[in-house]
Structure formats: structure tokens, C-alpha cells
Amino acid sequence: MPASFSARVAGALCLLALLLLPPPAHAQGADWPRRFDSASGTFIVYQPQPERLDGTTVTARAAFSLRRSASAAPEFGVLWFQARVRIDRDSLTVKEDALDVVRVQLPGATDATEHDVERLVEAEAVRWDLSGSLQELRAGLAASAKERLSIENLDHTAPRVLFSTRRALLVVYDGAPQLEPIEGTSLQRVTNTPYAVVFDPAARSYFLAGAGLWYGAPDALGPWSIVAAPPPAVAAAIAPDTSAADMVPGAPPVVITATEPTELIVTDGEPLLEPLVGHELFYVSN
């Protein structure tokens, strides 16, 4: 997967997460969002979320929209800024000034466009009253710290991508297959997969219900082959998958297993390339 594509996907996901955040505790005044017109279009800047306070400098982010004309759909982005703060501990209020936009993320925009956004927002923000309460600032910083803690251990490694030129069923385990007894039976079920994978010690075989069929294998990782019917105890413990969407004419799907994040792309036979109209590109049509 190209690095530039991964970066765009990560940026879009980051933007979506920011726009879906609940309203921040800081700057909850009735004057948010802030709207202003510019040569580039109409901006709407939403309530900022403070991220860090270092001495007298607060770092925050804010979602914004830019509508370039009355008939155009708004474009959504995120900006990060720093501002000096003056804290009045007698009145427990905070005054922010000298706002400096340090980064802008606007999907699909050029560096020059993002620089223009920085300049326009900074020029407009000179007129803004960014006063707030010290309690709100502290609450906003605490919320940001909790958010960072919740995502710091996320694994952003891209999944492995597999290709198959015939129908296939991907069974993914979260690590090595883990067995647990099925209460009231002598059977065991693999618990770290959403698929119904059952081990029968008497038959010394694993059974899988999927695509309206039953499969058997000597190991949870395969190789899997179709069986006419599982032992009665297995059939009684786990009902087979009878999803109508999976029961289509043609050869039954092969079973592919994985123990790490994996995506499967299936083509109906060898890939057939068709040109994209107006582009020097092709897409796989099957």
C-alpha cells in the first residue's frame, strides 16, 4: 500500500474522529462557532479543544469548514494553533491572545491553500475574544489527556492483503487459536474468532460452519475441506451458517485462515482489467 495513500486515509480518519468529538469543555461560550467571510470563501471555526498547556502557551485544535461559494459544498478541515494565556487567579478566568495557527489539515488541499487558511484565520482571530474560565480550561486539558491515553497503544500497522481468483472464505483469528470447553459437551470452541470453529477430541478434527457448508480440518489453521456433515454433537452445539447471501451457485469457497489483521480481495477468475473513462488507469471489473 503506497505511503501517500496510507497517509491520506489516516488523515481522513483523524479528521472524522475530530469532527465526531463531543463539544469540548473549554470555550463553551455562545459565540461558537465563529463565522467570517474571506477572499477564499466563508469560514466556520468550531469550538476549540485545548491539548496542552506549557507555561503560558496553550496548544489547541479546532474543526473548521470552508465554503468557497454559495453553491459549493463545504469542505471540512482541522487547524492547530498556539496562543499565549494570561490567568487571573482571583477571578479564575483565562485570556488567550496572540493566536498563531501552526498547522492546517484540509483533505485534498495544496500546501499553498493550507498556508492561506493559516493566514486568514490568524488575521480574523485578532478580533476574537477568547476569554474563558480556568475551570473550563483545566477540564478541557484533562479530556485531551484522557483521549491521548486511550489511543497511545493503538497499532496502526496496515493489514496484510491476500488475493484469490476463486471464491474464498477468510477466517481470521486474533493470534494463535484459543480453545475453551463448550459447557455440557466434550467439545471445545475456538474463542478468538467470530466464526464457529469447533474441535471434537473424539474425531480429532476441527469443524467450521460457514457459507452454508461444513468444513473439517486437522488443525484450526487448516487445510480445510468440505465434509458432508459434522458429528451429531458438533451439529447440535453449533448451528451451521445458512446465510442466503453466501449460498450462491458455483464452486464452494475455499477457506483461508490468518492470525493477524488481514483483508481478502477475491476476483471471479483471473483479474479482468477495464479502462477508466477519461483516465490512463484501469480497474479490475470482476
Side-chain angles (χ1 to χ4, degrees):
M1 183 180 294
S4 60
F5 177 78
S6 298
R8 290 197 299 272
V9 171
L13 292 175
C14 175
L15 171 58
L16 177 61
L18 291 173
L19 293 176
L20 293 178
L21 282 173
H26 180 51
Q28 290 280 346
D31 51 354
W32 290 103
R34 307 287 175 93
R35 180 186 184 280
F36 67 94
D37 295 320
S38 72
S40 295
T42 300
F43 281 89
I44 298 178
V45 180
Y46 297 91
Q47 295 172 351
Q49 172 65 54
E51 293 185 331
R52 290 182 176 83
L53 178 62
D54 299 311
T56 60
T57 300
V58 66
T59 301
R61 67 173 183 257
F64 72 91
S65 69
L66 170 60
R67 187 186 294 272
R68 299 184 185 274
S69 67
S71 59
E75 303 170 43
F76 291 93
V78 183
L79 60 86
W80 284 261
F81 66 88
Q82 293 180 339
R84 291 197 304 269
V85 295
R86 291 177 281 118
I87 299 175
D88 186 335
R89 299 191 181 277
D90 292 329
S91 61
L92 298 180
T93 58
V94 177
K95 170 69 175 178
E96 298 179 9
D97 53 23
L99 186 149
D100 176 25
V101 179
V102 295
R103 183 159 67 98
V104 169
Q105 183 174 308
L106 185 63
T110 63
D111 290 343
T113 298
E114 293 180 342
H115 179 72
D116 286 342
V117 172
E118 292 182 21
R119 178 178 54 81
L120 290 168
V121 173
E122 285 178 355
E124 179 66 23
V126 172
R127 307 180 179 89
W128 295 351
D129 178 9
L130 298 177
S131 300
S133 76
L134 180 58
Q135 181 181 6
E136 289 173 340
L137 175 59
R138 287 171 174 168
L141 292 170
S144 290
K146 184 177 180 180
E147 178 190 333
R148 288 194 298 272
L149 185 63
S150 69
I151 64 174
E152 66 180 7
N153 294 321
L154 289 181
D155 185 356
H156 298 285
T157 304
R160 188 166 58 120
V161 178
L162 301 179
F163 292 84
S164 176
T165 57
R166 56 179 294 189
R167 291 180 63 202
L169 181 69
L170 176 62
V171 177
V172 179
Y173 301 97
D174 185 10
Q178 302 293 322
L179 287 169
E180 288 188 6
I182 298 178
E183 187 176 355
T185 75
S186 61
L187 306 174
Q188 297 172 294
R189 178 168 182 168
V190 180
T191 57
N192 57 336
T193 179
Y195 283 89
V197 180
V198 175
F199 177 63
D200 184 356
R204 296 184 179 180
S205 181
Y206 287 81
F207 296 92
L208 164 67
L213 301 167
W214 281 100
Y215 295 82
D219 189 276
L221 298 179
W224 291 92
S225 58
I226 293 176
V227 296
V234 173
I238 302 294
D241 176 15
T242 57
S243 171
D246 291 327
M247 299 179 68
V248 297
V254 297
V255 176
I256 300 173
T257 59
T259 57
E260 61 184 358
T262 303
E263 296 291 341
L264 175 63
I265 297 176
V266 178
T267 58
D268 184 11
E270 293 299 319
L272 299 178
L273 297 179
E274 299 287 347
L276 280 171
V277 177
H279 299 274
E280 295 182 358
L281 301 172
F282 291 83
Y283 72 98
V284 177
S285 62
N286 59 336

